Structure formats: C-alpha cells, structure tokens
C-alpha cells in the first residue's frame, strides 16, 4: 500500500521529531529506544504527561498515546519487560489479539519451511525470554504447534536440535552462525509455484545454477475473497500490448505506455482525417474504407518495461498470420523465439 519510499520518510520524520523534542525537555532520559513508531523510555513519574504533551505539540498530524507500566511490567514489540528489584527480566509477549496461527503443517508448501517455523519460534523463545520463563513458553509453543497440525515428535526433535545448536555457539542467534557458503549470494534465487515431488526434483537438478524456493499459489484468499479495490476498466489501463480487429477480420497489434483510451483516440482521429502515415491500422482503414472495431480492443499483455513490451508486441505480430502490421519491428526478433511462437 502506498509508495515504497513512505517508510523511509516516516522514519526520517520521527528521527527529526525525537531529536527536537528530547533536546527541549528539562530533564534527561535514562534511555530511549524506538522501533518505527513504538517507543520505550523511562521518565520521572510526575513527568509522564509532560513528555506526552511535548511529543504531541510538535505537529497536530502526528499524535502519540502513552502506556505506563502495570505491576512493574510493560510490553514493547515482542517483549514483556519486567522490573525485578534492581534488575530487568524479559519474557515473550503476545498481544491480546494473538491467534496462535502459524504455517499449518498440512499446507501445500516444502517441509523445510515448516521445520524452519518450529526452529525460528524455538530460537525466539531462547533469545527473547529469560530462562525462568523458558518452560512455560515451550509448553505454549508445543500446544500452539499441535493446534496447527505439527506432529509432536517432529516438534520435539527440532526444539532439541535448535537448543543444541544455540548452546554450542558464542552468539545466541543461529542466523549469525550460518556456514560461510550460506552467506554467499553468487547464485540467483528463483521462486516457482510449489508442487510436491516436482519441486524437490527441480531444486536438486538446478542447485548448481540457482537457488529454488517454493511459492504457495493455492490459498483460500485467492478463491474466496474479492479484491479490495475495484478493477481498473480496460480503456484506463496503460503499459499494454493490445489488439484491434478490423471488420474484415484483419488484426493490428500495438503497444503503448499511455492509457489505452488515449491511444484508441489517436488511431480513430488519424483515420478520420485520413492520415495513413500514423499507423498500419489507420492506413488499412483509410485505403480500404474499412471500419476497425475500436470499442472491442483487446489487451494481450501488461508490461511496464518498454523493451520487454516491444518484444511481446513482436511475438504477437509474428504469431498472427492475418496481422496487418508492417512488421518493421518484428524483423529484429531473434530466431530463438521461433520454436515457442
């Protein structure tokens, strides 16, 4: 949703905001941690309202709320931070809306993905929570994974292996201890739809050339839920390869970056003023006094890259025997495409 640059600008704005506000406070904050727009800090008890007002006064469009610790506990991201005398303990936090749903074991995806789910959740417990809370968190993990269809034996085996791996490393994170070849990115990664058996065979065959990852294309969302946004009407589409059929069944193939409505208007206008130099379809319409079916234009391809769009246009020109294009462009199409056209 929105521009890819939005998170970057949001982070920059919040960095400026916090620098300005903190420097104006009449007291020093012992610590200040921020992740995106979630902030954890400590202030004197009688200064809480003051710091909230200071942040909210910066800009009326950027407003904050405050959550104070309760029973010496406060949540921050996936942590519960607990004051225990002069020390701090951490526990794994779940929001009240947490559903406990993870990748179901019966889902049509590679087994490795499901094993990684168990391993990463095990690591999360070991890294995020204090040892005092490990047992209760692992019990919650076992119950949750069982609800998601994971066999108990498989879950126990992966939990045990993950514990041994972490215990044998200097760093608590498995990801920091990957073998050297696991950190190399020489081979490209290709995502393909997952099909049990076929995917494993392809992965083995192609492992020397590129890394293959499985993509689950069949899901409930695809078949049961409608689009949140209305589909763009045909003539409002842009970056397309299109086909216009004449009343004599001759075909014209074109490509355009602009909206299809605008491109059709240009064709019709030039046919009206008898400008045969505009395009092959206008020359055909004027010379033979034919009427192309302008309103029945068909979109053949969508492609934002102009070079790729031109190649697609040439392929469709070559595929249609009754095409009236002058085929000036298609002569540059490599003969390597002939076997697939």
């Amino acid at each position: 949703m929105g521009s890819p640059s939005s998170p970057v600008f949001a982070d920059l704005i919040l960095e400026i905001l916090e620098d300005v506000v903190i420097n104006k406070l009449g007291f020093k904050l012992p610590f200040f941690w921020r992740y995106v727009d979630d902030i954890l800090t400590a202030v004197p008890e009688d200064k809480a309202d003051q710091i909230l007002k200071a942040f909210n006064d910066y800009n009326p469009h950027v407003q904050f709320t405050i959550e104070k610790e309760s029973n010496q506990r406060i949540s921050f991201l996936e942590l519960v931070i607990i004051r225990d005398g002069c020390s701090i303990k951490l526990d794994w936090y779940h929001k009240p809306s947490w559903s406990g749903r993870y990748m179901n074991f019966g889902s049509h995806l590679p087994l490795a993905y499901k094993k990684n789910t168990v391993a990463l959740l095990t690591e999360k417990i070991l890294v995020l929570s204090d040892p005092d809370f490990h047992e209760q968190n692992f019990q919650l993990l076992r119950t949750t994974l069982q609800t998601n269809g994971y066999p108990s034996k498989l879950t126990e085996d992966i939990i045990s292996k993950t514990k041994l791996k972490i215990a044998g490393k200097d760093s608590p994170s498995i990801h920091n201890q990957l073998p050297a070849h696991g950190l190399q990115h020489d081979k490209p990664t290709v995502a393909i739809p997952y099909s049990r058996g076929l995917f494993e065979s392809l992965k083995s065959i192609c492992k020397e050339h590129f890394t293959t990852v499985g993509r689950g294309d069949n899901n409930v969302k695809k078949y049961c839920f409608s689009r949140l946004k209305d589909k763009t009407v045909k003539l409002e589409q842009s970056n397309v390869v299109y086909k216009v059929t004449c009343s004599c069944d001759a075909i014209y193939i074109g490509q355009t970056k602009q909206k299809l409505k605008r491109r059709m208007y240009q064709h019709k206008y030039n046919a009206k003023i008898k400008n045969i130099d505009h395009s092959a379809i206008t020359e055909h319409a004027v010379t033979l006094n034919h009427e192309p079916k302008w309103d029945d234009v068909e979109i053949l391809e969508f492609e934002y890259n102009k070079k790729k769009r031109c190649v697609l246009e040439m392929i469709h020109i070559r595929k249609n025997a009754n095409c009236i294009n002058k085929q000036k462009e298609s002569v540059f199409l490599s003969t390597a495409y002939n076997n697939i056209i």
Side-chain angles (χ1 to χ4, degrees), residues 10-286:
D11 197 51
L12 288 172
I13 290 169
L14 284 170
E15 280 189 14
I16 296 170
L17 184 153
E18 67 185 38
D19 285 342
V20 171
V21 173
I22 291 174
N23 288 331
K24 288 183 178 180
L25 295 176
F27 54 89
K28 187 176 180 180
L29 300 176
F31 63 87
F32 185 92
W33 296 100
R34 179 177 63 82
Y35 182 80
V36 189
D37 59 348
D38 288 322
I39 297 170
L40 177 70
T41 188
V43 298
E45 189 172 356
D46 60 340
K47 301 290 186 181
D49 292 337
Q50 179 182 335
I51 192 171
L52 177 63
K53 185 177 184 303
F55 272 86
N56 285 338
D57 285 347
Y58 181 81
N59 190 304
H61 299 291
V62 183
Q63 297 294 291
F64 294 82
T65 58
I66 192 169
E67 180 183 350
K68 300 178 183 179
E69 69 172 24
S70 175
N71 195 25
Q72 297 184 324
R73 295 167 174 253
I74 191 168
S75 62
F76 180 64
L77 303 178
E78 290 190 274
L79 294 173
V80 177
I81 302 165
I82 306 164
R83 286 198 299 122
D84 185 19
C86 296
S87 62
I88 295 290
K89 287 186 176 180
L90 303 176
D91 194 10
W92 189 18
Y93 173 69
H94 302 94
K95 291 183 178 180
S97 58
W98 179 64
S99 65
R101 291 181 60 187
Y102 293 103
M103 181 188 296
N104 193 279
F105 193 77
S107 60
H108 191 71
L109 287 168
L111 180 61
Y113 293 11
K114 300 159 189 176
K115 290 182 176 180
N116 285 340
T117 299
V118 183
L120 291 172
L121 288 171
T122 300
E123 180 179 350
K124 184 174 287 189
I125 291 173
L126 295 172
V127 173
L128 294 184
S129 64
D130 189 272
D132 292 349
F133 305 110
H134 282 180
E135 186 54 41
Q136 68 183 50
N137 284 332
F138 277 118
Q139 189 56 46
L140 174 63
L141 177 62
R142 293 183 182 100
T143 303
T144 302
L145 290 175
Q146 188 175 17
T147 304
N148 284 273
Y150 286 75
S152 298
K153 187 178 184 306
L154 177 68
T155 299
E156 292 299 332
D157 287 346
I158 298 174
I159 289 176
S160 299
K161 289 177 182 178
T162 306
K163 285 181 176 179
L164 289 174
K165 284 183 180 180
I166 292 181
K169 309 298 182 182
D170 295 331
S171 169
S173 175
I174 294 174
H175 305 296
N176 294 333
Q177 300 296 333
L178 288 173
H181 66 269
L183 298 177
Q184 296 175 355
H185 300 285
D186 299 334
K187 294 185 293 184
T189 299
V190 178
I192 61 174
Y194 178 72
S195 177
R196 187 176 289 114
L198 176 60
F199 172 81
E200 285 76 12
S201 299
L202 287 174
K203 184 174 183 179
S204 177
I205 294 170
C206 303
K207 64 182 179 181
E208 298 297 327
H209 307 287
F210 52 82
T211 302
T212 307
V213 295
R215 183 180 72 239
D217 282 348
N218 294 321
N219 51 57
V220 174
K221 178 182 177 182
K222 180 177 179 180
Y223 297 103
C224 297
F225 296 96
S226 62
R227 295 172 176 264
L228 294 177
K229 292 184 177 180
D230 293 333
K231 187 175 180 180
T232 306
V233 296
K234 181 170 61 177
L235 291 177
E236 293 294 326
Q237 302 278 10
S238 57
N239 296 296
V240 298
V241 177
Y242 61 92
K243 178 176 76 173
V244 179
T245 304
C246 183
S247 54
C248 66
D249 291 334
I251 291 173
Y252 172 79
I253 307 293
Q255 65 83 22
T256 182
K257 178 181 179 180
Q258 57 191 335
K259 288 184 178 181
L260 192 54
K261 177 174 63 175
R262 175 64 180 168
R263 186 58 177 158
M264 288 300 100
Y265 170 79
Q266 292 170 354
H267 282 313
K268 287 191 285 185
Y269 176 76
N270 281 277
K272 181 179 179 180
I273 64 173
K274 302 187 183 304
N275 179 14
I276 62 173
D277 296 325
H278 176 260
S279 62
I281 187 66
T282 57
E283 180 180 354
H284 178 85
V286 172

